[in-house]
């Protein structure tokens, strides 16, 4: 163990603590970065902190790196209104997720004791726990903030220029970019419905700091910001963010998913193989993005109108009556009309395998950063249908700045989209002049990816050495 002043210079930065927010959309990027740190030229040891109820799943995510990774459980304190045993947002309503932040804040004494015992070289933490900085620095542990969102999202929402003079922005204010924002950006203006959704970041729940307040505290307390992006993809937003917060940026490069292991289940392989190459549309929205019934209905009718084969994965919030939600979403006689060419599925699927199947040519998704990258490396044309917060910003950056994918047209005041808009977006993606091939080649270039990893590890070692020598 080299942290806290122990060990030789050659051992600098051998031990990193990872501490993500308790949502698997955050835990997964932390796990991906962990695998990079402990493999190849990384050579780090990692201690991964999460709620006790998440430990088995996190250990499974890190099984291949088990020799260099220890997953430690945190015992969340009881919080009135939070279900006993709750360990991640996947189990909770939106209100429950806010209570989960209260519980995670209550682990500060445990985390302080662990860092004092472990004395790592650095702690990589998430937006929800900026208080880690105050715990880490007196111990000589370098605090690094890992941003799991796009650089454009932070640049648009979380910079000091967003709150001039300390004044919180209204939803109307959020329709315009903050002062000094990169000129010519696709995000110069947002429609009303997207701005209204982003206003959540400035709201306080249960007397706790808002999302914006937590981001600002992360910026103020960290030694550097780690981001899973690159200058090639988000250069102007990275530069603006750096100028706003005055902290170094460690760019890990876009995280490219490793090829999936095993084979596609026979039922899917057989069904997909009955269609020509690139014929099938695959629609999926991740594990924590849910379509209201009326929106799901329009999506299904739009896919029906494409006259193409399709697979739609629909999931519903924890605690919902999934069967009732599905019945409300599927139009009358829909299944009979699309029998043989359309499938509506609830639950988990082998998404990477499906995307890489030769018959799948179009991926309709919610514009999550990881989902877009996953679709690109699989060689799919992309249709973007963002449903909340950072997804709106990602869609603008990908479709308009980078010309990757086609956005489903929406009504500006409330975000409504109809079946015709879905049909038109799929048609445009199939024949449109986008740059998806260029970006796919970029993401799959082994030399490029190794260059990102080497530069990131070099800078990380340098910052960890600062903590070691403090």
């Amino acid at each position: 163990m080299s942290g806290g002043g122990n060990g030789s210079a050659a051992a600098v930065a051998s031990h990193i603590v990872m501490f993500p927010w308790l949502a698997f959309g955050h835990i997964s990027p932390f796990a991906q970065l962990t695998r990079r740190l402990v493999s190849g030229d990384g050579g780090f040891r990692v201690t991964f902190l999460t709620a006790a109820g998440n430990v088995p799943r996190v250990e499974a995510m890190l099984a291949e790196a088990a020799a260099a990774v220890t997953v430690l459980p945190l015992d969340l304190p009881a919080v009135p209104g939070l279900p006993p045993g709750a360990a991640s947002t996947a189990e909770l309503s939106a209100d429950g997720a806010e209570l989960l932040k209260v519980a995670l804040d209550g682990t500060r004494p445990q985390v302080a004791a662990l860092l004092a015992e472990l004395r790592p070289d650095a702690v990589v933490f998430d937006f929800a726990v900026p208080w880690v900085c105050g715990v880490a620095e007196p111990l000589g542990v370098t605090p690094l903030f890992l941003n799991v969102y796009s650089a454009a999202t932070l640049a648009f929402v979380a910079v000091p220029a967003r709150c001039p003079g300390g004044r919180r922005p209204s939803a109307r204010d959020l329709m315009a970019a903050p002062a000094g924002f990169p000129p010519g950006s696709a995000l110069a203006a947002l429609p009303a419905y997207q701005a209204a959704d982003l206003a959540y970041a400035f709201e306080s729940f249960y007397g706790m700091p808002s999302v914006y307040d937590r981001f600002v505290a992360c910026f103020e307390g960290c030694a550097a910001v780690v981001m899973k992006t690159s200058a090639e993809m988000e250069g102007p937003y990275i530069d603006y963010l750096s100028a706003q917060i005055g902290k170094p940026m460690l760019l890990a490069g876009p995280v490219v998913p490793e090829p999936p292991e095993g084979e596609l289940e026979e039922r899917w392989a057989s069904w997909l193989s009955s269609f020509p190459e690139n014929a099938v549309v695959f629609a999926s929205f991740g594990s924590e993005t849910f379509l209201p019934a009326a929106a799901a209905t329009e999506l299904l009718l739009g896919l029906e109108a494409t006259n193409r084969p399709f697979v739609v994965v629909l999931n519903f919030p924890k605690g919902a009556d999934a069967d009732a939600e599905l019945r409300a979403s599927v139009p009358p006689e829909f299944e009979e009309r699309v029998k043989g060419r359309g499938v509506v599925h609830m639950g988990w699927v082998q998404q990477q395998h499906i995307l890489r199947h030769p018959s799948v040519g179009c991926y309709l998704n919610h514009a999550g950063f990881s989902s877009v990258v996953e679709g690109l490396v699989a060689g799919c044309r992309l249709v973007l249908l963002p449903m909340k917060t950072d997804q709106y910003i990602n869609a603008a950056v990908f479709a308009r700045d980078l010309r990757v994918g086609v956005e489903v047209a929406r009504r500006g005041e409330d975000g409504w989209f109809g079946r015709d808009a879905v049909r038109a977006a799929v048609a445009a993606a199939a024949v449109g002049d986008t740059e998806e091939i260029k970006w796919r080649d970029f993401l799959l270039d082994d030399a490029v990816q190794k260059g990102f990893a080497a530069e990131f590890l070099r800078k990380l070692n340098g910052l960890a050495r600062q903590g070691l020598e403090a």
Side-chain angles (χ1 to χ4, degrees):
M1 184 181 299
S2 64
N6 300 317
S8 67
V12 166
S14 67
H15 189 193
I16 305 291
V17 168
M18 308 292 280
F19 188 17
W21 164 231
L22 302 178
F24 278 93
H26 290 241
I27 291 171
S28 292
F30 273 73
Q32 289 169 334
L33 183 60
T34 294
R35 290 194 293 268
R36 179 175 293 185
L37 291 175
V38 304
S39 65
D41 296 330
F44 292 87
R45 291 186 303 109
V46 171
T47 298
F48 201 105
L49 306 183
T50 190
N54 298 328
V55 168
R57 185 170 171 184
V58 172
E59 286 181 336
M61 296 168 72
L62 295 170
E64 64 192 55
V69 179
T70 301
V71 183
L72 291 184
L74 297 175
D75 295 320
L76 301 186
V79 172
L82 184 66
S88 78
T89 58
E91 309 162 14
L92 300 169
S93 65
D95 184 65
E98 299 304 327
L99 290 171
L100 192 62
K101 289 175 185 168
V102 177
L104 192 60
D105 283 347
T107 67
R108 179 169 180 159
Q110 293 177 61
V111 174
L114 284 169
L115 292 182
E117 176 187 353
L118 297 171
R119 293 297 180 109
D121 299 298
V123 55
V124 180
F125 66 96
D126 211 336
F127 86 99
V129 289
W131 45 262
V132 166
C133 301
V135 173
E137 286 189 322
L139 299 172
V141 178
T142 301
L144 302 172
F145 166 47
L146 173 54
N147 166 48
V148 306
Y149 302 102
S150 62
T153 296
L154 287 197
F156 193 89
V157 177
V159 292
R162 182 49 84 187
C163 292
R167 182 181 66 84
R168 296 301 166 111
S170 65
R172 185 175 183 82
D173 293 332
L174 290 166
M175 293 176 67
F181 201 71
S185 164
L187 294 164
L190 293 185
Y193 76 93
Q194 294 184 9
D197 196 48
L198 291 175
Y200 154 79
F202 301 88
E203 298 177 19
S204 174
F205 300 87
Y206 299 102
M208 305 299 289
S210 68
V211 168
Y212 175 82
D213 292 330
R214 291 179 189 264
F215 273 124
V216 169
C218 289
F219 297 149
E220 291 176 346
C222 74
V225 178
V226 180
M227 292 193 289
K228 52 170 195 167
T229 187
S230 70
E232 290 85 350
M233 299 185 83
E234 295 193 275
Y237 304 114
I238 295 167
D239 292 344
Y240 175 69
L241 183 61
S242 179
Q244 279 282 306
I245 67 176
K247 292 294 176 73
M249 299 287 167
L250 273 65
L251 305 182
V255 177
V256 178
E258 299 165 359
E261 297 181 354
E263 301 294 330
L264 180 60
E265 292 177 10
E266 175 57 29
R267 59 172 178 149
W268 290 113
S270 177
W271 190 84
L272 290 169
S273 296
S274 67
F275 300 104
E277 187 173 321
N278 294 324
V280 178
V281 180
F282 177 68
S284 179
F285 297 86
S287 61
E288 296 189 22
T289 296
F290 311 110
L291 273 65
T297 297
E298 292 299 316
L299 170 67
L300 294 174
L301 290 172
L303 291 173
E304 178 186 6
T306 66
N307 292 318
R308 298 179 60 163
F310 61 86
V311 177
V312 179
V313 180
L314 292 179
N315 288 311
F316 305 100
K318 182 80 172 179
D321 184 336
D323 290 334
E325 293 278 357
L326 185 63
R327 287 194 297 271
S329 301
V330 177
E333 302 179 357
F334 175 80
E335 292 173 310
E336 290 76 11
R337 294 196 304 271
V338 301
K339 188 174 182 178
R341 73 170 178 95
V343 174
V344 180
H345 178 82
M346 284 195 304
W348 181 82
V349 296
Q350 295 170 286
Q351 180 161 300
Q352 280 202 61
H353 284 89
I354 291 174
L355 288 172
R356 291 169 185 249
H357 193 282
S359 294
V360 176
C362 179
Y363 178 28
L364 193 157
N365 65 83
H366 57 300
F369 204 96
S370 296
S371 293
V372 172
V373 171
E374 198 172 80
L376 280 173
V377 299
C380 295
R381 292 298 184 102
L382 302 177
V383 173
L384 307 179
L385 184 57
M387 299 304 294
K388 59 184 179 182
T389 53
D390 62 301
Q391 297 169 9
Y392 298 128
I393 294 175
N394 293 343
V397 171
F398 280 115
R400 286 175 258 162
D401 280 349
L402 303 180
R403 296 181 56 244
V404 170
V406 176
E407 294 173 277
V408 175
R410 314 280 277 270
R411 199 160 59 195
E413 62 269 24
D414 60 4
W416 176 251
F417 64 90
R419 63 200 74 174
D420 290 340
V422 173
R423 178 193 54 75
V426 171
V431 300
D433 179 21
T434 68
E435 297 198 10
E436 285 160 356
I437 294 175
K438 164 191 167 182
W439 289 108
R440 178 177 185 266
D441 291 344
F442 169 76
L443 293 168
L444 292 177
D445 188 315
D446 189 57
V448 169
Q449 293 302 319
K450 286 181 178 177
F452 286 143
E455 181 66 6
F456 169 70
L457 293 171
R458 183 186 69 79
K459 290 185 176 180
L460 177 61
N461 269 310
L463 283 165
R465 184 176 295 110
Q466 292 177 16
L468 183 65
E469 295 172 351

